[in-house]
Amino acid sequence: TFHNTYLDFFLMAGLIGLLLLIILIINVYYKILILSLGGDRIAFILFFANSIFLINCFVANGVIFQPYTSFAFWTSISYLIKFESQN
């Protein structure tokens, strides 16, 4: 295995799976950034937690599947779903 989540995901899901993962990560990161710039304190915290998560994806394998390292990322997705369902 590689010590890189992105390369591991490429081996597991192929190019299409890797592209879908990258699109998901960029989309979540961008929407959390927009919310945090609008003054949302929770989004601000999630933005920095996701920054740490993205850096960890380069140096550790399986980070996206480990609950203690990917908790902020999956929480950001659920926060965005809840936020968009209210609007």
Side-chain angles (χ1 to χ4, degrees):
T1 65
F2 298 99
H3 289 288
N4 185 323
T5 297
Y6 303 113
L7 292 177
D8 277 342
F9 207 82
F10 173 71
L11 288 178
M12 288 185 284
L15 184 61
I16 294 174
L18 178 64
L19 290 175
L20 289 174
L21 176 69
I22 291 172
I23 289 169
L24 175 68
I25 289 173
I26 290 171
N27 193 13
V28 168
Y29 200 71
Y30 176 73
K31 287 187 177 186
I32 288 292
L33 174 64
I34 295 300
L35 287 176
S36 66
L37 291 176
D40 190 346
R41 302 279 295 168
I42 296 173
F44 184 73
I45 293 168
L46 289 173
F47 175 76
F48 283 108
N50 279 325
S51 299
I52 294 169
F53 169 74
L54 293 177
I55 293 169
N56 274 339
C57 284
F58 283 107
V59 296
N61 62 347
V63 170
I64 200 157
F65 303 116
Q66 298 296 326
Y68 64 92
T69 55
S70 65
F71 181 75
F73 178 69
W74 298 114
T75 303
S76 298
I77 292 175
S78 63
Y79 184 74
L80 288 172
I81 290 171
K82 176 79 171 164
F83 183 80
E84 290 188 7
S85 69
Q86 290 177 350
N87 291 336

